[in-house]
Amino acid sequence: MRRGTAPAPAARALRAESPDLVQRLEFDFELDAGRTLGRVGGKGRLGPVLYDGPAIWRAADTPDGEATLRITRLSRTAEICAWGPGAEAAAERVPALLGAHDDPSALVPQDAVVAGWVRRWPARRLTATGTIWEHVVPTVCGQKVPGLNAKNSWQGILRRWGRQPPGPAPSTLRLPPMAELMASFAYHEFHRFDIERRRAEAIIAFARRAATLERLAHCPPEQARKRLQAIRGIGPWTASIVVLLCHGDPDSVIIGDYQIPSYVTWHLSGERRGDDDRMLELLEPYRGQRARVQALAKSAGPPPRHGPRMPLQDLQHR
């Protein structure tokens, strides 16, 4: 990957829209033209990731402060404009965001189904944000509730406590709430967003240790998952998703999900309904790449639906 950097002038006379940093990155692989960052940012219109044609808008916190990125992809090139005190630090994370750390060829198909997926999506790479806290709240919002419940809760939190990022960002781009703010709340503050006491207390407990837990971004994935699960209310499902997004770990297999086991069992064995045990059995030949296979199974589509959907829940008074 070749890198060219042209810092924008810092004179205050320049318009606020002028980027603090401009870069051009060249990669040795074709950049995915789709939703490259996957689950990063959670569900809904507001969030820290927005797609605008070939451009990705990304709001992020860095050790140097807040930042906004606009990453424009074209074949093997990415043009980056960055705003805010964290512009340089955020720009340094772009190669990992676009999958430069990842090696899709490490997935060696053991059956015709996976071989077909690899042919169909040869450029599919895992993103790695290098951050922990930003993934915790949207993921906890999704614990044991339907996706629409999770989306509505996360969007409500962003409307109430999300932050405007620096620069000429789109109006729907938001930085996640500050951990220090969330740590100061009582659990009932979350009831307005249909989040019951159990999930609210998980968010608060994590927020109170967020500064320390952010260091897990630099730990091996297995160690990070184990440490995350030591926090009250953070189980294997939440820890695996957070580490998958933070580290881009291809083996951060998601267990405890309502739907994913059935996606895997349907495509790999023709079984409409699956549980974690059966899913893990089928994924065992892909140890080291199990999360990648899970993601491909979801992209391939759901099994035929013959049962009820997970019901929406009203949790405001719990």
Side-chain angles (χ1 to χ4, degrees):
M1 181 183 71
R2 295 201 299 273
R3 184 188 302 261
T5 305
R12 291 186 180 275
L14 287 178
R15 295 183 308 162
E17 289 80 3
S18 297
D20 297 302
L21 181 73
V22 177
Q23 274 189 356
R24 178 186 176 93
L25 303 181
E26 295 184 13
F27 296 83
D28 59 4
F29 58 89
E30 291 288 327
L31 297 176
D32 189 342
R35 292 182 172 260
T36 309
L37 305 192
R39 303 175 68 138
V40 175
K43 298 178 180 180
R45 183 167 174 265
L46 301 178
V49 175
L50 297 175
Y51 296 92
D52 181 16
I56 303 171
W57 286 90
R58 162 78 167 149
D61 288 302
T62 79
D64 298 331
E66 301 171 353
T68 296
L69 295 171
R70 187 182 68 216
I71 307 165
T72 305
R73 299 157 292 170
L74 180 62
S75 185
R76 299 187 174 211
T77 301
E79 299 279 358
I80 302 166
C81 293
W83 294 263
E88 185 173 354
E92 289 175 356
R93 295 175 178 170
V94 169
L97 282 175
L98 298 180
H101 73 290
D102 190 28
D103 179 14
S105 69
L107 174 59
V108 179
Q110 302 296 314
D111 56 74
V113 173
V114 175
W117 292 342
V118 170
R119 289 193 299 271
R120 183 177 178 184
W121 296 295
R124 184 70 59 84
R125 288 173 176 260
L126 297 175
T127 189
T129 64
T131 59
I132 296 285
W133 165 249
E134 71 166 312
H135 308 305
V136 171
V137 181
T139 305
V140 172
C141 284
Q143 289 179 350
K144 299 186 184 299
V145 298
L148 184 58
N149 276 99
K151 173 184 173 180
N152 290 341
S153 296
W154 175 231
Q155 291 296 291
I157 287 172
L158 286 174
R159 281 192 294 270
R160 180 69 179 87
W161 297 312
R163 294 169 288 146
Q164 293 285 347
S171 61
T172 53
L173 195 68
R174 292 287 189 280
L175 284 158
M178 294 288 291
E180 295 84 352
L181 177 66
M182 306 293 266
S184 70
F185 293 150
Y187 72 84
H188 56 77
E189 294 281 353
F190 293 86
H191 285 353
R192 74 185 83 174
F193 308 120
D194 224 13
I195 297 175
E196 83 290 346
R197 182 171 184 169
R198 179 187 60 81
R199 286 183 294 159
E201 289 185 339
I203 292 171
I204 294 165
F206 199 104
R208 289 173 177 168
R209 298 177 60 184
T212 299
L213 293 169
E214 196 65 33
R215 299 171 194 162
L216 297 180
H218 306 291
C219 294
E222 185 174 356
Q223 181 181 346
R225 283 191 293 271
K226 184 176 179 180
R227 291 277 302 279
L228 288 172
Q229 290 181 64
I231 305 300
R232 183 179 61 187
I234 305 297
W237 183 83
T238 303
S240 293
I241 293 174
V242 170
V243 171
L244 175 62
L245 298 176
C246 172
H247 292 70
D249 174 29
D251 204 48
S252 196
V253 61
I254 299 171
I255 58 175
D257 193 87
Y258 185 73
Q259 295 178 322
I260 291 177
S262 294
Y263 280 76
V264 173
T265 59
W266 170 245
H267 290 292
L268 297 188
S269 69
E271 301 164 23
R272 287 196 189 99
R273 297 298 299 272
D275 58 19
D276 283 338
D277 289 340
R278 180 61 172 146
M279 177 184 68
L280 291 172
E281 178 185 352
L282 292 169
L283 290 176
E284 183 57 33
Y286 296 102
R287 182 172 286 273
Q289 298 290 314
R290 292 176 296 176
R292 194 189 305 277
V293 175
Q294 282 185 319
L296 291 171
K298 287 206 69 176
S299 294
R305 189 180 297 279
H306 290 288
R309 293 178 179 270
M310 192 176 186
L312 295 177
Q313 302 176 44
D314 182 356
L315 304 170
Q316 292 191 29
H317 303 294
R318 291 173 55 189

